[in-house]
Amino acid sequence: MSSVIVPAVMLGVFAGVSVSSALGAVFEGKSAAFGPSNPFYAKSALPFEAPPFDRIKDGDYEPAIEAGMAEELKEIDAIADNSAAPTFENTVVAMEKTGALFQRAMAAFDGVTGANTNPELERVQKELAPKLAAHRDAIYLNTKLFGRVAAVYEARASLKLSPEGLRLVEVRYRDFVHAGANLSDAEKEKLKKLNEEESTLSNGFRSKVLAATKDAAYATTDKAALAGLTAADLSGAEAAAKERKKEGYVLPLQNTTQQPVLSSLSVRATRQAVFDASWTRTERGMRTIRERRLHGWRSCGRRRGNCWGMTAMRVGSSKTRWRRRRRVR
């Protein structure tokens, strides 16, 4: 089962229709371009079902993910609407078997965007962020589905489950509760909107940090400043400069403070310049953006906490701590 979310504003359109069914209809409409020609359409034949990256194009991810969300919501609806009494097999195990297409596409997409993104993939991330949040809510805030999970959880001691099965039931129940399944309908609606807002803020901040890191790359036209680099390193620096339409050489920064290239550069001034660029990469026009994003996160976090009847003890630290005003089972 996935842990994924459609903008909350869409939810009010589907009066009288289950949220998962409504979202499934939306995703189905948007995944019309998905078909057998898409590399994610069927399981990969490679060892360990590794993604066939030689066949995957940037335009393949979005329709596959959209289709995967629609497919998973259909599977979830079938479990939630099952007329048979809830059991470990027809509820918890069945949930584990949902979302195969979605997981195939998302695993590859997350890997590529985390290692080798580009403007097109950035656009897809931006488009999908609130939808993934809505998708997750459509599953974890599904009242009928949670009712079945809770029934299995309450009866777990008498089901003679294996240690693994018992752990799975407890983890899945906890996941639902932590996602807000025990909240009132009004609180759930508030939470959906806040989850969408948080996902948009998070993705926007990630994009800004990525852009700042790219802009902070070290550039020079003096080959001597790069003494110590191998011929392959210099060739790569030249290619990076051409890609950015600059003269000379460019050393792109990794998303770490200590850059791997520092161990090879023999000119101290160059090492200093590269280190300084890395150390201050998110200070280049980012301070105001960062402060605004953090303010948005703080506000969003406080409001999300209020849905559970919690208040922040300390907000803005590396780990926000919460004090409960009332216990959520």
Side-chain angles (χ1 to χ4, degrees):
M1 189 185 79
S2 73
S3 51
V4 210
I5 303 176
V6 174
V9 70
M10 292 182 178
L11 303 183
V13 177
F14 304 102
V17 181
S18 73
V19 171
S20 53
S21 296
L23 295 185
V26 171
F27 292 139
E28 279 188 336
K30 291 202 169 189
S31 60
F34 182 73
S37 62
N38 190 295
F40 295 109
Y41 188 80
K43 289 182 180 180
S44 170
L46 295 175
F48 307 107
E49 297 183 10
F53 286 112
D54 59 326
R55 294 172 46 218
I56 299 172
K57 301 179 179 63
D58 289 346
D60 292 326
Y61 292 106
E62 189 171 16
I65 292 171
E66 299 266 11
M69 287 191 281
E71 179 182 280
E72 182 170 35
L73 291 180
K74 279 186 176 180
E75 295 166 340
I76 289 295
D77 271 347
I79 297 170
D81 294 336
N82 190 344
S83 59
T87 66
F88 176 70
E89 289 294 333
N90 72 17
T91 301
V92 179
V93 173
M95 285 167 56
E96 294 300 301
K97 297 178 180 179
T98 65
L101 168 58
F102 176 70
Q103 291 176 38
R104 280 201 302 274
M106 278 302 300
F109 183 68
D110 284 344
V112 170
T113 54
N116 189 33
T117 192
N118 59 47
E120 171 59 16
L121 295 181
E122 285 278 298
R123 180 198 66 77
V124 175
Q125 279 187 298
K126 182 177 180 180
E127 289 286 325
L128 288 178
K131 297 178 183 180
L132 292 174
H135 181 66
R136 185 177 189 277
D137 282 347
I139 295 172
Y140 283 99
L141 300 183
N142 184 316
T143 302
K144 288 195 293 184
L145 181 64
F146 178 59
R148 296 182 67 84
V149 172
V152 175
Y153 176 80
E154 294 296 338
R156 67 192 185 284
S158 63
L159 298 180
K160 298 181 180 180
L161 300 173
S162 67
E164 294 82 3
L166 179 61
R167 175 63 176 164
L168 178 60
V169 169
E170 292 173 343
V171 168
R172 280 289 165 254
Y173 177 79
R174 183 191 64 194
D175 288 345
F176 272 84
V177 173
H178 286 184
N182 268 330
L183 297 176
S184 68
D185 289 343
E187 289 172 327
K188 285 179 181 178
E189 289 306 311
K190 290 179 184 178
L191 184 61
K192 290 171 187 176
K193 294 177 182 178
L194 290 169
N195 285 339
E196 178 192 349
E197 180 182 345
E198 183 181 46
S199 67
T200 301
L201 284 169
S202 179
N203 186 71
F205 186 73
R206 180 203 55 77
S207 297
K208 295 294 183 182
V209 171
L210 180 64
T213 301
K214 183 177 180 180
D215 291 342
Y218 174 78
T220 182
T221 57
D222 183 8
K223 185 176 181 179
L226 303 179
L229 296 186
T230 65
D233 290 334
L234 289 171
S235 177
E238 281 187 298
K242 289 179 181 178
E243 182 182 347
R244 301 180 188 213
K245 298 179 180 179
K246 291 186 176 182
E247 296 293 327
Y249 307 87
V250 168
L251 299 179
L253 297 182
Q254 304 297 316
N255 191 29
T256 57
T257 300
Q258 296 290 345
Q259 298 297 315
V261 74
L262 292 174
S263 62
S264 300
L265 293 166
S266 59
V267 178
R268 187 182 188 285
T270 305
R271 293 199 303 273
Q272 180 70 48
V274 172
F275 179 82
D276 286 345
S278 177
W279 183 260
T280 63
R281 64 188 182 277
T282 58
E283 298 295 329
R284 300 163 181 251
M286 279 288 291
R287 184 175 297 278
T288 300
I289 293 170
R290 185 167 62 251
E291 289 174 351
R292 287 176 179 172
R293 297 288 178 185
L294 288 174
H295 175 74
W297 272 324
R298 289 175 185 143
S299 174
C300 189
R302 281 193 295 267
R303 285 177 284 151
R304 289 179 81 236
N306 286 337
C307 288
W308 279 275
M310 295 184 292
T311 183
M313 289 176 62
R314 187 175 71 191
V315 181
S317 60
S318 59
K319 291 185 179 179
T320 299
R321 299 178 181 179
W322 296 97
R323 179 175 65 237
R324 292 181 183 273
R325 284 203 297 257
R326 61 180 171 82
R327 187 180 178 209
V328 178
R329 186 182 178 199

